[in-house]
Amino acid sequence: MARQRTSEEIFREMTVPQAVRTMAVPAVVSQLIVLIYNLADTYFIGQTNSPYMVAGVSLILPVFNLTLCLGGLFGIGGGALLPKLLAMGDREEASRAAAYCLRFSVAVALLFSAGLLIFMRPILLLLGASENTLSHASTYVRMVLVLGGVPTIFSNVLSNLLRSLGLSREAGVGVALGGALNIGLDPLFMFVLLPKGSEVLGVGIATLISNVIACVYCLAVFLRRQREITPRFFAPAPRRESIAAVFTVGVPGTLGTLLFDIDYMVLDKLVAGYGEAALAAIGIVLKAERFPQQIGIGLCQGMVPLVAYSYALHDRERIREIMAYVLKIGVTVALVSISVYELFTHQIVRLFIADAETLMIGTGFLRVRALAAAIMFFCFFAVFLFQGFGDGRRSTALAIIRWAVLNIPMLYLFNAVFGMYGLVWAQVVSDVITVGISFAVIFRYMRQWAKKEV
């Protein structure tokens, strides 16, 4: 069996291409598997050819994203802090910080699930649920987010912490395990074990079981990790500055995801005004477009621990190499994804549903949204980079500019001026502007840092 590398070997001794591949490839694979099993839910529900079921499940995307938002509070914050503590040789403090993140993520997950159970109906109505879709959406929420809230959020935090220790492959295996189980269990529960008409319940049960097993796996791996830290769930609290560092990065990361979520809620609500076929179509497109997004997120997730470790050592040159290499890969993925989506738009949407009206609208949506999906990588890159720097102020500012200042207002403006298809063009325009602002901020930051180091 190959010897397991230490975080120091990965973060400091490997060449930049080797280190990025070691950290990013498993993260990208795990993100693609997350995409596949999310698409699997939509795909199998789409086999019922019921726009109501598809729309009901699609409505949940913003609420599901809230679990990522809450997991990011401690996963992103802790994941950026641990490499810095390890770079400074403070393993005891790293152990305490990790335990702190895990304890509070469980508490937050319990509160989230309880609140969702109590306020489920008004939340779903706010998202655009109708009498035809409300029961399907409620069933899915109960299984995946009420009963499954704790394992979903907890496993998200664990995955981030594992990557921060250089265990990107192990984190990826946990996600892959959950994804493979979900894909296998979906048709079993939908079409074999449960009666016709219970397909949404079947998807929900399959997803719940898969998330629980993935969570147990990640926890087992984390508890066995003794080389860098000694994980103890009830360890004493870390120092105040460590807690502050977790929230300095975690809160902006959470805010960015929350604003992303609000944007999707607004989009769903506005699209719902054009009918249930349009709502089903945007639900399919928002999932189908995620291929380049998930690759971009995986690349950036793999980048953050490398940047954080080098930043603690003031190794500006290595950070520049990391940035250049990740951007090169990101540009390549963006160009390829745009080509594939534009060439095979109709076929991609048809994989999920054959309903003629939904297919026609979805094809038009995807042709436009494919451009935004590719551009999004560069927005993610800037936010994740500043998370690695531990600079919550700039990552927060970029998230607010992108979503609150540009995209959400543009959704209302473009809807009023251009109608239904204006809703999908709004993302493209706002992201082009955001990319320009983001890279201007990055270049200025790097110049200021260089002056301080002289």
Side-chain angles (χ1 to χ4, degrees):
M1 179 181 291
R3 181 180 66 85
Q4 193 176 58
R5 296 186 179 96
T6 65
S7 58
E8 183 176 6
E9 289 173 327
I10 296 172
F11 297 159
R12 181 186 288 185
E13 298 175 10
M14 282 185 174
T15 65
V16 165
Q18 286 176 323
V20 171
R21 288 195 296 268
T22 299
M23 294 297 295
V25 169
V28 168
V29 170
S30 67
Q31 286 295 319
L32 291 178
I33 292 171
V34 168
L35 171 61
I36 289 168
Y37 82 72
N38 282 330
L39 292 178
D41 285 355
T42 305
Y43 171 79
F44 287 119
I45 289 293
Q47 300 312 296
T48 66
N49 213 32
S50 167
Y52 301 135
M53 287 188 180
V54 174
V57 172
S58 299
L59 276 172
I60 308 308
L61 180 60
V63 186
F64 181 79
N65 285 341
L66 278 176
T67 64
L68 305 181
C69 173
L70 295 172
L73 179 61
F74 299 101
I76 294 173
L81 174 63
L82 294 191
K84 294 180 179 179
L85 293 173
L86 294 175
M88 295 183 290
D90 197 346
R91 297 183 179 183
E92 178 59 29
E93 183 66 6
S95 299
R96 293 184 178 192
Y100 177 86
C101 291
L102 293 177
R103 285 198 302 269
F104 277 84
S105 67
V106 172
V108 168
L110 289 171
L111 288 173
F112 170 76
S113 294
L116 194 55
L117 179 62
I118 295 169
F119 300 106
M120 185 186 306
R121 182 180 176 86
I123 289 172
L124 293 178
L125 291 175
L126 179 66
L127 292 174
S130 67
E131 290 303 316
N132 293 320
T133 60
L134 184 60
S135 62
H136 300 307
S138 299
T139 298
Y140 195 71
V141 167
R142 286 192 187 94
M143 289 293 104
V144 177
L145 299 176
V146 175
L147 293 178
V150 171
T152 301
I153 292 173
F154 194 59
S155 60
N156 186 300
V157 175
L158 283 167
S159 295
N160 277 283
L161 296 185
L162 287 174
R163 275 190 291 271
S164 73
L165 299 175
L167 299 176
S168 187
R169 182 179 61 183
E170 288 77 359
V173 169
V175 175
L177 177 63
L181 285 171
N182 195 37
I183 293 169
L185 292 176
D186 268 352
L188 177 63
F189 279 97
M190 288 177 65
F191 306 123
V192 178
L193 298 180
L194 296 180
K196 185 175 176 60
S198 302
E199 288 85 358
V200 173
L201 176 61
V203 165
I205 293 173
T207 303
L208 171 62
I209 293 172
S210 303
N211 286 340
V212 169
I213 293 174
C215 181
V216 170
Y217 169 84
C218 288
L219 181 60
V221 172
F222 187 82
L223 292 176
R224 288 202 310 268
R225 184 65 172 184
Q226 300 289 334
R227 188 171 296 177
E228 272 81 21
I229 65 172
T230 304
R232 301 187 304 275
F233 191 78
F234 295 105
R239 295 188 296 265
R240 288 184 179 181
E241 56 266 32
S242 294
I243 295 174
V246 169
F247 285 97
T248 295
V249 176
V251 169
T254 299
L255 177 62
T257 308
L258 179 61
L259 289 172
F260 175 82
D261 207 33
I262 292 172
D263 174 77
Y264 272 25
M265 291 180 186
V266 171
L267 179 60
D268 274 349
K269 187 70 174 177
L270 292 175
V271 170
Y274 294 97
E276 279 150 351
L279 185 60
I282 198 64
I284 290 170
V285 168
L286 289 177
K287 290 191 174 184
E289 71 174 11
R290 285 176 59 189
F291 179 78
Q293 290 180 29
Q294 299 305 106
I295 293 178
I297 291 172
L299 276 171
C300 293
Q301 285 178 338
M303 174 185 72
V304 168
L306 299 173
V307 169
Y309 194 95
S310 295
Y311 188 81
L313 298 175
H314 303 282
D315 192 345
R316 189 174 66 254
E317 192 55 42
R318 186 168 174 86
I319 289 175
R320 288 183 184 276
E321 289 182 46
I322 293 168
M323 291 168 59
Y325 190 74
V326 171
L327 281 172
K328 182 173 70 174
I329 298 173
V331 169
T332 303
V333 171
L335 294 174
V336 171
S337 63
I338 289 174
S339 301
V340 170
Y341 278 123
E342 296 300 335
L343 288 172
F344 302 104
T345 313
H346 183 83
Q347 293 89 334
I348 291 170
V349 178
R350 192 175 177 82
L351 284 174
F352 298 97
I353 197 165
D355 177 72
E357 184 181 6
T358 306
L359 181 60
M360 180 189 69
I361 297 172
T363 299
F365 282 172
L366 186 57
R367 288 193 185 280
V368 179
R369 292 281 304 193
L371 302 174
I375 296 169
M376 277 186 193
F377 163 74
F378 304 101
C379 301
F380 294 145
F381 174 85
V383 172
F384 276 83
L385 180 66
F386 284 113
Q387 288 173 2
F389 291 156
D391 192 328
R393 184 171 61 87
R394 284 181 173 82
S395 59
T396 301
L398 290 176
I400 291 174
I401 289 170
R402 183 185 182 197
W403 300 114
V405 176
L406 291 173
N407 200 60
I408 294 174
M410 279 190 180
L411 284 172
Y412 287 103
L413 176 63
F414 277 48
N415 182 51
V417 176
F418 302 109
M420 182 173 69
Y421 285 96
L423 290 170
V424 289
W425 274 107
Q427 183 80 62
V428 180
V429 175
S430 64
D431 277 357
V432 168
I433 298 171
T434 303
V435 169
I437 295 172
S438 298
F439 278 84
V441 173
I442 291 172
F443 291 144
R444 182 180 179 186
Y445 183 91
M446 296 302 288
R447 285 197 302 268
Q448 290 175 341
W449 187 20
K451 290 178 182 178
K452 290 178 183 179
E453 294 291 317
V454 174

